[in-house]
């Protein structure tokens, strides 16, 4: 039976917590992850796993409620982004550490983007925490991260499900996790949860007031975030589909793009369990056919 895996963990915000459940399923069923190619949230989860610290990362993220999510956002008044990212990275550094990637037992690549040169940057050496920080730099949200003398942003801009870095691995198969899968109609039809939906809007208002930008009194103003989020998702989905035509994974797991909001990290328990369920559903059938 094929047992060694090259694992591709895509970008997509809190939906990427499903990556944790998928990794658990693979481990429990005797598959060995030999290499990881990752982007954005995939870099955080994949980096934690490659460094042997996934359990600590999972315990931390499972503890989040909505207020915890917001408390991790160190807002700054900057033309580059409105979250500095130091709070999040301080927590991640404490869990994962700053070991060099080349010292890890698992081959690891985090994909970021040099937007000035319009090119992907594959980070597969140096401190793993720097690689993660560069890869998670969501445009207009996190400020860019300077790595090797150039500012980098979220690799999802150019390659949200990066199969290329592991395309030539000597493993039995490549499994990719795409976080921009076809939306579930039943989720679109659900009534809006006003408390959940309004939480970040309320906190966003408070932040703008502190900056003396004036309070945004209508819900419609927050639709700007929704438009940005949906536009970014649409762009990523199109790019991912085109990229994976070139380097096709042996197995693709699609996580519906409307299963979880980009910033809903308070839904970690649900998304980790969902990832495990999707692995059970997709991998059990397909891996048995390949064995």
């Amino acid at each position: 039976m094929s047992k060694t895996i090259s694992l591709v963990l895509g970008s997509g915000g809190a939906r990427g917590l499903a990556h944790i459940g998928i990794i658990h399923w693979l481990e429990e069923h005797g598959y060995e992850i030999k290499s990881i190619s990752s982007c954005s949230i995939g870099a955080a989860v994949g980096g934690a796993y490659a460094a042997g610290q996934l359990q600590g990362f999972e315990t931390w993220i499972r503890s989040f409620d909505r207020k915890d999510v917001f408390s991790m956002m160190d807002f700054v008044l900057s033309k580059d982004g409105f979250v500095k990212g130091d709070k999040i990275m301080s927590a991640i550094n404490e869990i994962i550490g700053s070991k060099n990637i080349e010292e890890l037992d698992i081959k690891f690549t985090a994909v970021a983007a040099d937007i000035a040169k319009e090119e992907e940057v594959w980070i597969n050496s140096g401190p793993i925490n720097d690689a993660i920080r560069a890869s998670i730099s969501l445009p207009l949200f996190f400020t860019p991260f300077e790595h090797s003398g150039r500012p980098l942003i979220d690799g999802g801009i150019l390659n949200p499900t990066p199969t290329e870095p592991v395309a030539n691995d000597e493993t039995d198969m490549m499994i990719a996790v795409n976080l921009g899968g076809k939306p579930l109609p039943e989720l679109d039809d659900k009534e809006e949860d006003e408390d959940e939906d309004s939480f970040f809007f309320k906190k966003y208002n408070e932040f703008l007031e502190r900056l003396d930008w004036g309070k945004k009194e209508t819900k419609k103003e927050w639709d700007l975030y929704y438009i940005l989020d949906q536009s970014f998702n649409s762009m990523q989905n199109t790019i991912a589909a085109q990229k994976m035509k070139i380097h096709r994974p042996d197995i693709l797991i699609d996580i519906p793009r409307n299963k979880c909001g980009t910033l809903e990290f308070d839904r970690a328990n649900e998304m980790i369990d969902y990832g495990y369920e999707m692995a059970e559903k997709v991998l059990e059938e397909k891996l048995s056919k390949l064995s």
Side-chain angles (χ1 to χ4, degrees):
M1 179 183 290
S2 299
K3 285 290 186 179
T4 58
I5 304 291
S6 292
L7 186 61
V8 180
L9 302 177
S11 67
R15 290 189 301 280
L17 299 178
H19 293 323
I20 298 174
I22 291 166
I23 289 172
H24 286 327
W25 191 94
L26 288 169
E27 284 193 312
E28 289 176 17
H29 289 78
Y31 294 93
E32 182 183 4
I33 300 169
K34 298 287 288 184
S35 64
I36 295 173
S37 175
S38 59
C39 181
S40 199
I41 182 63
V45 174
Y49 181 76
Q53 302 298 330
L54 184 61
Q55 184 58 58
F57 181 87
E58 180 179 350
T59 299
W60 172 63
I61 206 74
R62 279 186 182 272
S63 70
F64 276 26
D65 60 22
R66 283 181 290 170
K67 291 183 179 178
D68 290 327
V69 176
F70 194 81
S71 72
M72 296 300 294
M73 298 182 188
D74 41 1
F75 290 107
V76 292
L77 180 56
S78 169
K79 61 183 176 63
D80 298 326
F82 64 87
V83 175
K84 192 174 182 182
D86 287 353
K87 283 186 178 181
I88 292 172
M89 285 312 302
S90 177
I92 290 177
N93 291 349
E94 190 172 331
I95 296 166
I96 297 177
S98 57
K99 184 179 290 187
N100 285 338
I101 295 171
E102 53 268 38
E103 298 172 6
L104 304 177
D105 293 331
I106 296 173
K107 176 188 170 187
F108 176 77
T109 302
V111 176
D114 184 333
I115 198 65
K117 294 184 177 179
E118 299 181 359
E119 62 184 22
E120 293 177 37
V121 179
W122 296 1
I123 306 175
N124 49 28
S125 63
I128 191 168
N129 54 334
D130 286 351
I132 292 169
R133 177 61 182 88
S135 189
I136 67 171
S137 300
L138 184 67
L140 301 181
F141 187 76
F142 283 117
T143 56
F145 181 74
E146 187 164 315
H147 185 273
S148 298
R150 54 180 172 173
L152 302 181
I153 61 173
D154 193 316
I157 288 290
L158 298 176
N159 199 350
T161 313
T163 54
E164 293 95 318
V166 294
N168 296 315
D169 283 355
E170 294 182 358
T171 55
D172 294 317
M173 72 182 67
M174 183 202 303
I175 297 174
V177 185
N178 169 40
L179 302 180
K182 186 177 180 179
L184 297 174
E186 61 268 27
L187 293 181
D188 284 337
D189 293 339
K190 284 176 63 176
E191 284 188 18
E192 222 174 296
D193 182 337
E194 189 63 34
D195 288 338
E196 181 78 19
D197 190 61
S198 64
F199 178 77
F200 284 106
F201 177 61
K202 177 183 176 183
K203 294 297 183 181
Y204 179 67
N205 278 341
E206 293 172 357
F207 172 60
L208 292 183
E209 285 187 280
R210 289 198 299 273
L211 294 179
D212 198 28
W213 287 4
K215 184 175 181 180
K216 306 295 185 185
E217 295 182 350
T218 66
K219 178 83 168 12
K220 291 182 180 179
E221 295 292 343
W222 187 236
D223 287 348
L224 293 173
Y225 165 74
Y226 174 80
I227 292 169
L228 178 63
D229 188 47
Q230 291 302 106
S231 298
F232 188 65
N233 282 337
S234 297
M235 178 191 69
Q236 284 191 312
N237 299 337
T238 301
I239 294 172
Q242 293 301 316
K243 288 279 190 178
M244 283 189 287
K245 286 181 180 178
I246 302 171
H247 297 286
R248 294 180 183 273
D250 296 292
I251 297 176
L252 178 65
I253 301 175
D254 284 316
I255 303 299
R257 58 181 175 268
N258 63 343
K259 180 63 180 176
C260 177
T262 302
L263 298 179
E264 291 184 302
F265 288 93
D266 54 301
R267 296 174 62 185
N269 293 323
E270 173 190 347
M271 290 309 300
I272 292 170
D273 292 345
Y274 184 76
Y276 189 94
E277 292 166 8
M278 286 298 291
E280 185 81 32
K281 178 181 178 181
V282 176
L283 295 178
E284 190 170 61
E285 176 185 354
K286 293 189 176 182
L287 287 174
S288 64
K289 291 180 179 179
L290 293 171
S291 62

